[in-house]
Amino acid sequence: DAKTTQPTSMDCAEGRAANLPCNHSTISGNEYVYWYRQIHSQGPQYIIHGLKNNETNEMASLIITEDRKSSTLILPHATLRDTAVYYCIVRVAIDDMRFGAGTRLTVKP
Amino acid sequence: NAGVTQTPKFRILKIGQSMTLQCAQDMNHNYMYWYRQDPGMGLKLIYYSVGAGITDKGEVPNGYNVSRSTTEDFPLRLELAAPSQTSVYFCASSLTGGDYGYTFGSGTRLTVV
C-alpha cells in the first residue's frame, strides 16, 4: 500500500529548474511530506520536509497543494551533481520512513 | 565530525556464516535505524532504536538481530547468512524521530554466496 506515487524517471537540462512531482492522495492531516535523494550508491541525503506550507532551504523548495494530495520538489538551478534518485515519503511515525523506488533524475549538459 | 560510520564497506559471506555490521554515530543522536536496499529498489527498514537499551522491529526483521548498549553504537547481526540477504545495508541516525531528517552512513555491500 504505497503512500506516494512518483514518475520513474525524468530529465532536466543543466541550469534549468527541475520540478519533481509526487502524488500522495491518501495523506492524513498529521503526516509530513519528506524528500530525500540518493546519489549513485551513497546513503540517502535529506533534502526538505513540510506539512502544509511551502518550504524552502538552501537545497530546494517544496510546494504542497492546498488539499495536500500532491507536492513538487523544485531544484531551482539543476547541476550535473543533482543527478540522483529522489524519494518522496509521507511519514507520521518513527517506523514509517519508507523509501519506495523514487524518481531517477538525470541532469543533462 | 564523522557523522555515521559503517564498517566494513564490503563483505562476502558464505551461506550459513555469521557476521556483525557495525554502525557508529558521533552526533549524540538518540534514534538509529538499519535499512537494506536490494538492487534497483528502495530502502526497507530492518530495525530501529529510540535510545540505548531500546530496539524494535521494522518492516523486514527476519534473519537479523540488533542491540543498542550505548547511544553511539547500533550493530546489526546476521546469524545464518542466506543468499536472500545479499544487499546494501544502510545505517542512519536522527536527533529526534526524524523530524529534521535522517543522517545516513555510506553503506555496507554484502554478498552471500
Side-chain angles (χ1 to χ4, degrees):
Chain A
D1 56 341
K3 289 187 174 181
T4 63
T5 303
Q6 299 179 253
T8 302
S9 63
M10 294 181 62
D11 291 340
C12 177
E14 188 178 20
R16 304 296 294 269
N19 296 280
L20 291 87
C22 180
N23 287 325
H24 31 79
S25 58
T26 60
I27 194 170
S28 301
N30 59 345
E31 290 183 316
Y32 283 77
V33 179
Y34 283 78
W35 284 85
Y36 283 76
R37 72 180 182 184
Q38 187 174 25
I39 297 174
H40 194 42
S41 54
Q42 299 174 21
Q45 176 189 24
Y46 165 80
I47 301 173
I48 199 167
H49 75 284
L51 183 62
K52 51 185 174 182
N53 297 321
N54 298 337
E55 302 287 345
T56 296
N57 63 21
E58 65 279 2
M59 290 182 67
S61 295
L62 173 60
I63 308 299
I64 303 174
T65 58
E66 193 168 343
D67 62 7
R68 301 208 328 120
K69 293 185 176 183
S70 65
S71 61
T72 301
L73 178 74
I74 301 172
L75 308 178
H77 305 287
T79 70
L80 299 179
R81 287 178 292 182
D82 291 321
T83 291
V85 176
Y86 287 77
Y87 299 99
C88 170
I89 301 165
V90 167
R91 172 185 177 269
V92 64
I94 185 174
D95 60 346
D96 207 17
M97 190 74 83
R98 301 196 173 192
F99 294 76
T103 295
R104 182 172 297 278
L105 175 69
T106 303
V107 180
K108 298 186 174 182
Chain B
N1 222 358
V4 177
T5 302
Q6 292 184 239
T7 55
K9 293 192 183 301
F10 303 93
R11 182 73 185 268
I12 299 175
L13 276 183
K14 293 185 179 179
I15 295 172
Q17 287 185 321
S18 301
M19 78 164 293
T20 299
L21 283 67
Q22 301 292 344
C23 176
Q25 53 91 9
D26 62 358
M27 298 171 286
N28 204 31
H29 284 176
N30 289 322
Y31 296 74
M32 296 187 75
Y33 317 83
W34 274 107
Y35 285 87
R36 60 175 286 174
Q37 184 174 33
D38 297 333
M41 307 292 285
L43 284 76
K44 294 187 176 180
L45 182 64
I46 305 172
Y47 271 96
Y48 66 97
S49 169
V50 302
I54 305 170
T55 62
D56 211 340
K57 296 178 180 179
E59 187 181 359
V60 290
N62 291 343
Y64 307 95
N65 279 301
V66 293
S67 59
R68 184 93 183 273
S69 56
T70 67
T71 299
E72 294 77 21
D73 300 298
F74 190 39
L76 178 71
R77 178 86 178 158
L78 282 72
E79 290 294 348
L80 293 170
S84 61
Q85 293 177 305
T86 293
S87 191
V88 180
Y89 292 83
F90 290 103
C91 178
S93 72
S94 65
L95 181 60
T96 60
D99 293 348
Y100 294 95
Y102 293 3
T103 300
F104 280 84
S106 57
T108 294
R109 187 175 298 274
L110 176 67
T111 302
V112 182
V113 297

